[in-house]
Every structure is written in C-alpha cells, then in structure tokens.
Amino acid sequence: MDVVKTVAEMKARSRALASEGSVVGLVPTMGALHEGHLSLIRIASGLADVVVVSVFVNPTQFGPSEDFGRYPRDLEQDAALAEGAGCDVLFAPSVEEMYPSRFATVVHVQRMSQKLCGAFRPGHFDGVTTVVAKLFTIVRPAIAVFGQKDGQQVAIIERMSEDLDLGVEIIRGPTVREADGLAKSSRNAYLSREERSQAPVLYRALEHARALYEGGERNALKVVEAVEECVESDSDAELQFVAAVDSKTLEDLATLRPGAMIALAAFFGKTRLIDNVVLE
Amino acid sequence: MDVVKTVAEMKARSRALASEGSVVGLVPTMGALHEGHLSLIRIASGLADVVVVSVFVNPTQFGPSEDFGRYPRDLEQDAALAEGAGCDVLFAPSVEEMYPSRFATVVHVQRMSQKLCGAFRPGHFDGVTTVVAKLFTIVRPAIAVFGQKDGQQVAIIERMSEDLDLGVEIIRGPTVREADGLAKSSRNAYLSREERSQAPVLYRALEHARALYEGGERNALKVVEAVEECVESDSDAELQFVAAVDSKTLEDLATLRPGAMIALAAFFGKTRLIDNVVLE
C-alpha cells in the first residue's frame, strides 16, 4: 500500500489509473478507523480494481465549538488497518494541501443540508460536500462507499454527485454495530463508562420503531414519539431530534413506507451520537 | 460540426475523447454569438485538438427582474457562426437536461462573488460557477476560454476551478470592441440608437484611466473618480460602480500597479453594460 500526501501526486496517480482503464473505488474517512470503515473498504475492494482510502480530518465540517482539535488522529494505525482491509492507496493530505491560502469555494446542497443534523450544525454539510467534491475530482473514482450510519450525509452526497455530473456511483455500506447494538463511531471513544452503558438505547429505540412498522403502524408521528419515549425513559440521553424522512430525498414523511429512514441524534453528556434505520 | 443536446451524449463524447488522448478546449457561451465569442473559439481552436462550444442560456444566473426571457436565442445562427470559427462540437442542452427536477446544488465562491457586479446581482455568480462547474465535469476540457470583458466572472471561475481541483486551465481572451470602442456584447442589441451613440463613453473613460496610469498616477481613488466624471459628464448613463481591483483576486486596490483592473457597470436606459481595462 502506498501513502500519498499531496494533491499533485494523487492527481498524477488518478490520471495514470484512468489511462490504464482501472476502476477506482474511494472510501473517504476522517481516520480513527474502526470496523465500520473497514467494512466500507472491503466493499470497495470487492467492486474496484484499485481502492483509495482518504484520511483527512476536515476542519470545515466542524463547528467552532465542536471537536476538531481533539478528534482522534493516528495515521500509522489507520494505515495498518486500511491496508489489512484491502486499501491500495492511502491519501492523507494536510489541511494546507486541501485548502491553500486563497481557497474560497463552497459546494452547498440546498434544503437537504439544512434539516436534521444540518439544523443543529450550521455549515457542517457544506464542509462535507465541498471536501467530497474535491476528493472526487482529485481521485476520480468510479465508485465511492459511504456508511449508511451517516444517512443524511450519504443522501446529500448522492444529490451533489448527480447534480455536478461527477460520474461517481455512491454505494451505501450497512451500519456496523457493537454486540449490544451501538453503531460503531469514532466518537464512541469519548463516552464515559456510564454513558457507554446507556448508549445502546438508541438502537433499541430504532429497532422498536422498526417493529412497530413491521407490525403495521404507518403513522410517522406515532413512531417518532415512540422512539422519543423509549430513549427518554430508558436513559439520561438528551435527544436532539428524531425524524422520519425519505432516505434518498430526506423529505419529511407523514406516512411510513419502504425507504423511510427513522433518524435521530442524541447527547450522552457532551458526546453527540447519531443513528438511523431504513424501513423495508 | 456535431450538435449534442443531452448531458449523457456529451459525457459519452468526453469519455471517448479522453480515451483517445485528445486535448479538449471548451468555450462556454449563452449563445447570441458575436465577434467576441468567435475570437474565443478561435483561441480554443489554436490550443486544443477538439473545440466544444456550449450554448446555454442559464436561468440561474439571471435575477428575477432581469432579461432571461428576452435574452436573444438563435441556435441555427449560433451553430453556423461557431462552426465557421472552428467549433467541432456544439453542446446545446435544455434547461431540464442541466437542472433535472430535484437539482439542489450550488457552487459558491466566497467574497469574490459578492462585490462589484455581485453586489448588485445577488446569486448571479453562484449561477455562473454552478453551471461552469457542471460544464467542466461534463465536457472535461483541458482548457476553457472566457472573455476578459467579463473580468470578474473569469477571476471567479479561475478560483473555483483551482479550488475544486477541476484541472481546467482558464484562458482569458481579450475584449473585442466595435470600431468606436464599445465592447462587443449580446446586450448591445437592446440599446436605442441614442443609447448606442453614447455607449462608447465607457471605453473612453477606461482609456482615460489607463492614460492617467501610464502618465504616472497611482492613486486608485483619483483614477476611479476621473472615470466617474468622464462617464457622467459625457453621457446620460447611470453608473452602478467603478472600482479598482486586482484582476486575479478581485481585492480592492488603493494603489494602482500592473495587474490592476479598472472595472465598471452602467445603465443606458434599462440596459446594463459592463467593461474593464487591465493595467500593465
């Protein structure tokens, strides 16, 4: 596995791979790789000739009071894990490489970026779409794999990639969970022992929603309220939102149907966790 | 010359051209081609193996009270003119092709988009950068040629192309003028006979600025005021702005130097004209 640290070198690699006719698969990450990321790398490895994993803690998707400074970073460990999962090229640019001094461009997806998490993290998805647009033009992948755990993010990136004719097929990798149901997340490391013991309530609540739906309940409001009650009665978590939306368009749903996503965000102490289920 | 009307066909062409190793040059236009556009096509023809001219009256760069509806359209004449100047492929998509129903993405260049013309035409440059980003990803040109007459536009596109790693070299084609100095523009057709007779005052004023600079004047404010006085005393035009900025970064200049651009916008009746000179 090669490690590439400059945009110029990555572009040169992409050009060479394109001229060979190689199918390139990209897995964008912020590092701190866990089993969730590794599952995405394995998916890319099964679909592409060459797998590029980017590791870039993107400052523009963090709010001023968020955890950019303390976000976990360990490139050596990430490189070993990525290679083990099938990564061929690790692209790990510096902030200065990605955002030179006069950088001024923002890629914004209207409406979809401003609801759910976007309503509470202003500018977050602009940071995501801008850096992903850059990664797509630098790496020129045929496919890119994102986790369904960040369900709003992947829907927004699908929209952006299609709108800007980037020609990248977006693959959604299923959420990988701990044995007790907690979605794998680099931010789980922030949880205290007590918070960690309570955090699986999010998945239990979402599974309860799924069970209600499978039992015939179609009223989105009732299901959302059941999720809220489950989290609030079973934990000290502070819910930020629970919502029922279309998993592709993110439009609010009054009536549940296949493709509906029940998504939530909640704080355990200072740690913000998100999760979702998509109904079938 | 071939005429391509769908994004899918243009992308297929671009892929084929890339795999042949052809150097593609793009000249984006809104049609109503005049000698200014033709000069850009000739420049592209001299630099590229294959010249693509896009003709697309882009609705998102017009304000609600602007001239989108009455902007001149004549694809047959444009095709004949473009072919005569060296165009190989005319790309003329419909609005629905470029902006399908769920389209939601905006490419925005901060700061540079909000001054000069941008201060008076909110959203205009977002429309320009979004459509040009799409044209670049659809056509995948190595070079793209824009007129220096739209000096702010070309500076913003250079910034956007570099920021999003689009790999397109932006070429500035010199402003083409009528015999009396009026910059060629599709909007000159809106001028009444009286307005048309007065309109060359803009170029005379800019040439006066250049003469002051060449005579040793470096005070930008003095030169801007001299331009204002020249336009106001010699015509009925209503000036919107006169400014001295860096022609690459668009930063305001207090002191003139090589690369400074004196830019202005003025109304003759309801017709808004722009022009600029870059100092050497």
Side-chain angles (χ1 to χ4, degrees), chain A residues 104 106 108 110 137 140 164, chain B residues 104 106 108 110 134 137 140 164:
Chain A
V106 174
H108 172 68
Q110 295 171 308
T137 56
R140 301 207 165 205
L164 296 184
Chain B
V106 174
H108 172 68
Q110 296 171 307
K134 281 177 66 74
T137 57
R140 300 207 166 206
L164 296 185

Side-chain angles (χ1 to χ4, degrees), chain B residues 103-198:
Chain B
F103 191 92
T105 301
V106 174
V107 177
H108 172 68
V109 176
Q110 296 171 307
R111 296 177 292 281
M112 296 172 82
S113 289
Q114 277 148 325
K115 60 192 307 181
L116 309 177
C117 293
F120 299 96
R121 303 185 70 188
H124 167 68
F125 287 113
D126 287 357
V128 170
T129 43
T130 303
V131 81
V132 172
K134 281 177 66 74
L135 290 169
F136 284 4
T137 57
I138 294 167
V139 177
R140 300 207 166 206
I143 63 159
V145 189
F146 293 84
Q148 175 58 38
K149 189 222 152 203
D150 301 312
Q152 181 176 14
Q153 170 176 280
V154 68
I156 291 170
I157 288 168
E158 286 168 349
R159 181 78 264 147
M160 183 272 289
S161 183
E162 188 176 326
D163 284 354
L164 296 185
D165 306 288
L166 294 171
V168 181
E169 186 187 354
I170 309 299
I171 310 286
R172 295 181 182 222
T175 303
V176 176
R177 300 181 180 281
E178 304 287 354
D180 59 11
L182 176 64
K184 297 256 188 187
S185 165
S186 307
R187 289 187 171 106
N188 291 349
Y190 299 153
L191 297 169
S192 71
R193 181 182 294 256
E194 173 60 21
E195 289 160 357
R196 174 64 188 82
S197 75
Q198 292 192 10

Side-chain angles (χ1 to χ4, degrees), chain A residues 140-152:
Chain A
R140 301 207 165 205
I143 62 160
V145 190
F146 292 84
Q148 174 58 40
K149 189 220 149 205
D150 301 312
Q152 182 177 13

